[in-house]
Amino acid sequence: MPVRQDKPIEVLLKAKAAEIGFAACGIADADAAPRTAERLRAWLDEGAHGDMLWMEERAEQRGSPRGLWPAVRSVIALGMSYAPAADPLALAGEGEVGRISVYAQGADYHDVVKRRLKELARWLVEAAPGADVKVFVDTAPVMEKPLSEAAGLGWQGKHTNLVSRSHGSWLFLGAIYTTLALAPDGPGRGGCGSCDACQAACPTDAFPAPYRIDARRCISYLTIENKGPIPREFRAGIGNRIYGCDDCLAVCPWNKFAAAAQANLAFHPRAELTVPYLADLLALDDAAFRQVFAGSPIKRIGRDRMLRNCLIAAGNSGSARLLPPVVALLDDPAPVVRGAAAWALAQLDPALWAAERSARMAAEADADVLAEWA
């Protein structure tokens, strides 16, 4: 039965979105962000996407909603808050623990947000029989940030992420494409002005200019998307970050308006992921890794990449207590883990590493791994 419409469908839609847990909802015409394709192409031509080949392979579809679905007329942009209750930078000086990005400390947002998007899409189809819809959350060629800006959720800040006047930098974004011609909202209001806090906070200088990012230098890319050795020039800057980085988001002044996401219980941090001890993580085999990170977006990078990250953090820790697990991983089956262990040992105990290196070179073992890492 069609939904009773005693108010415009756009008003009812936004009320329903709020009811099921979305903190922000806006509407844009499908062609409301016309420069997206041009800017995306320029970014790709610079090679700033690194090894994220999927960005390039479907660039034509990504550049415009109609490139993905010619029948779309309106885009419903939605945001779900994951604003943290604790300071994301609080563990910056704690060498023996790892820092996990706020978004990954709770349930996998892909699952949570997509479930709510589907619920809202079903409601819309009931409210407007004959309408077609498609839902997206970060797994399809959709440029959620410029579309969200066009729909009035906020603006893309100097760190290239969406900034909301009400929710700061802490919004998971999703989109519903529909064949309905809905009344659009205006573009997001606000701006960064002369503030450059996010630029100054980046430990690896990933911003060549305001509003531009070089993913190849970004700690989130290096610890998540990058599959091989982390380049030497970035290892010290990574500090104790083992999955993602919140620094540019955390320092944004607009976050003073963001309330902790009390309503979204799924995003509340799991205790074991708020202060994870590196020694515990370095002891994980594949089965234990899968058990610890079940239901977490971290699970998708796999045990080897996570241990690589933890070994970089161990090497930066200056803690002799981490020597035993580091040494044990010199003989790990995964080359990327062995190499990271070699580098970590070289930082923690150069003399011990020199002896280990000599022995391995004499035995003609791991010469390629050692050359790449240490």
Side-chain angles (χ1 to χ4, degrees):
M1 175 180 291
V3 176
R4 180 183 173 185
Q5 294 187 14
D6 51 353
K7 296 180 181 178
I9 192 168
E10 293 85 357
V11 173
L12 296 172
L13 171 71
K14 292 175 183 178
K16 184 64 178 179
E19 176 189 320
I20 63 179
F22 288 104
C25 176
I27 299 167
D29 288 332
D31 57 359
R35 295 196 61 194
T36 299
E38 172 191 345
R39 291 171 174 168
L40 173 62
R41 176 44 57 191
W43 186 71
L44 293 171
D45 288 345
E46 292 173 2
H49 58 305
D51 292 332
M52 295 186 290
L53 300 181
W54 41 269
M55 294 289 295
E56 188 167 4
E57 288 166 354
R58 302 183 70 180
E60 189 171 325
Q61 293 177 321
R62 193 176 297 276
S64 163
R66 290 200 174 100
L68 178 61
W69 188 26
V72 61
R73 299 180 71 183
S74 300
V75 174
I76 304 163
L78 297 126
M80 190 169 286
S81 175
Y82 68 104
D87 178 8
L89 305 179
L91 298 179
E94 301 293 331
E96 294 187 13
V97 301
R99 293 166 62 188
I100 292 174
S101 185
V102 169
Y103 86 86
Q105 292 180 22
D108 192 332
Y109 73 94
H110 297 90
D111 299 331
V112 176
V113 176
K114 192 161 193 176
R115 209 161 38 238
R116 306 289 178 87
L117 287 173
K118 287 181 175 179
E119 182 178 350
L120 185 60
R122 284 193 296 269
W123 177 91
L124 184 59
V125 170
E126 291 179 6
D132 284 336
V133 296
K134 294 183 185 292
V135 303
F136 306 103
V137 54
D138 200 26
T139 54
V142 173
M143 298 289 278
E144 293 96 345
K145 289 182 283 187
L147 289 172
S148 294
E149 179 174 356
L153 269 59
W155 67 95
Q156 279 192 262
K158 290 182 180 179
H159 51 28
T160 74
N161 290 288
L162 193 80
V163 182
S164 162
R165 296 174 68 91
S166 302
H167 308 289
S169 301
W170 310 111
L171 283 177
F172 288 130
L173 301 177
I176 299 176
Y177 285 8
T178 179
T179 54
L180 287 174
L182 298 172
D185 297 298
R189 295 184 302 110
C192 299
S194 61
C195 178
D196 65 352
C198 59
Q199 314 282 288
C202 181
T204 52
D205 295 322
F207 301 107
Y211 309 104
R212 291 176 56 203
I213 187 169
D214 187 338
R216 296 166 296 185
R217 304 183 65 90
C218 175
I219 291 175
S220 288
Y221 169 84
L222 292 167
T223 58
I224 299 173
E225 302 295 343
N226 173 48
K227 296 180 176 65
I230 292 173
R232 287 179 177 82
E233 64 181 301
F234 304 126
R235 294 174 194 171
I238 284 175
N240 65 339
R241 300 167 187 84
I242 60 173
Y243 188 92
C245 179
D246 290 317
D247 290 31
C248 67
L249 303 181
V251 299
C252 179
W254 285 98
N255 286 334
K256 64 185 177 182
F257 301 108
Q262 298 298 327
N264 298 313
L265 296 178
F267 301 142
H268 283 199
R270 289 163 48 180
E272 67 272 24
L273 301 185
T274 55
V275 189
Y277 285 90
L278 293 175
D280 295 336
L281 296 175
L282 291 172
L284 296 178
D285 60 15
D286 188 66
F289 169 84
R290 291 174 179 276
Q291 182 176 4
V292 169
F293 295 106
S296 165
I298 297 173
K299 185 178 177 182
R300 77 180 182 92
I301 70 168
R303 175 259 187 191
D304 296 345
R305 262 188 275 177
M306 174 52 89
L307 261 63
R308 173 202 62 186
N309 299 341
C310 292
L311 284 160
I312 296 295
N316 290 328
S317 72
S319 173
R321 285 191 290 268
L322 292 176
L323 276 171
V326 167
V327 171
L329 290 170
L330 289 172
D331 295 309
D332 191 82
V336 74
V337 174
R338 296 199 302 277
W343 181 85
L345 181 56
Q347 310 313 302
L348 294 174
D349 192 330
L352 179 56
W353 165 239
E356 283 284 347
R357 179 184 176 88
S358 296
R360 289 167 187 273
M361 295 299 282
E364 299 183 351
D366 265 350
D368 55 339
V369 172
L370 298 182
E372 195 168 13
W373 275 94

